[in-house]
Amino acid sequence: MQTAIYPGTFDPVTNGHYDLIKRASSMFERLVVAVAASPSKNTLFSLEERVSLLRETCVGLTNVSVEGFSGLLVDFAEQQQGNILVRGLRTTMDFEYEFGLTTMYRRLNPKLESVFLTPSEEFAFLSSTLVREVAIHGGDIGDFVPSVVYQAVLTKTDSMNSL
């Protein structure tokens, strides 16, 4: 079985992420959305919350599973018997960053291939960082995230803003 891994922090998961998940799930027999612990990042949501939000978002995609992980992505991919990494590219800056990562991944595990997907045009500008910033400052993010994520972000940012 061909297993692809779509890794990321997903803080929060956006409609752009979900678009890539749906598209990748139609390309591969099995897709594992790998939610990185990312302890060096100051995330809005905990790892458990991000995994839960993604699982709720991906309900109905029968060949998609969502797993949290820490450590090296190549080790996680091996544990999941994944041989393909799916990555999204929005800009040339993304390409340069991903090219460096892909080269490192290939050195650590020569059997691991990377596939790059570009976002649908409507999501080309979208990033989790932008969504967080807009939400923290009271802007409407309803068009940018799945509804379950929208409610979670509002709850989280409302509690932050009331401090």
Side-chain angles (χ1 to χ4, degrees):
M1 175 182 282
Q2 194 176 55
T3 298
I5 310 291
Y6 177 34
T9 306
F10 305 105
D11 186 47
V13 61
T14 68
N15 288 336
H17 292 131
Y18 185 60
D19 176 59
L20 289 183
I21 291 167
K22 286 190 300 188
R23 290 170 44 215
S25 73
S26 71
M27 297 170 66
F28 302 103
E29 294 173 75
R30 179 173 171 243
L31 177 67
V32 178
V33 180
V35 184
S38 300
S40 63
K41 292 185 178 181
N42 187 17
T43 59
L44 182 62
F45 292 99
S46 70
L47 176 62
E48 294 76 19
E49 290 170 320
R50 289 180 280 134
V51 167
S52 177
L53 289 169
L54 267 158
R55 285 182 177 154
E56 289 183 62
T57 297
C58 294
V59 165
L61 299 175
T62 58
N63 66 330
V64 174
S65 63
V66 179
E67 303 294 334
F69 80 99
S70 60
L72 289 176
L73 176 58
V74 293
D75 293 338
F76 177 80
E78 190 172 324
Q79 291 165 5
Q80 295 293 316
Q81 299 177 329
N83 55 343
I84 299 167
L85 294 178
V86 174
R87 301 294 292 161
L89 293 179
R90 292 170 309 199
T91 66
T92 56
M93 287 175 38
D94 285 349
F95 175 80
E96 289 180 20
Y97 176 74
E98 293 296 337
F99 186 79
L101 284 178
T102 298
T103 304
M104 178 58 79
Y105 296 149
R106 193 174 295 133
R107 291 293 302 259
L108 295 172
N109 181 349
K111 296 177 184 174
L112 194 59
E113 288 293 338
S114 294
V115 172
F116 300 102
L117 297 177
T118 57
S120 296
E121 186 178 308
E122 64 189 297
F123 304 122
F125 69 95
L126 198 52
S127 73
S128 293
T129 302
L130 278 175
V131 167
R132 279 194 317 271
E133 286 298 313
V134 169
I136 287 168
H137 296 290
D140 184 8
I141 61 166
D143 290 339
F144 309 137
V145 296
S147 58
V148 65
V149 175
Y150 178 75
Q151 289 304 317
V153 171
L154 284 182
T155 300
K156 188 72 78 167
T157 56
D158 283 350
S159 68
M160 290 171 53
N161 292 331
S162 66
L163 295 177

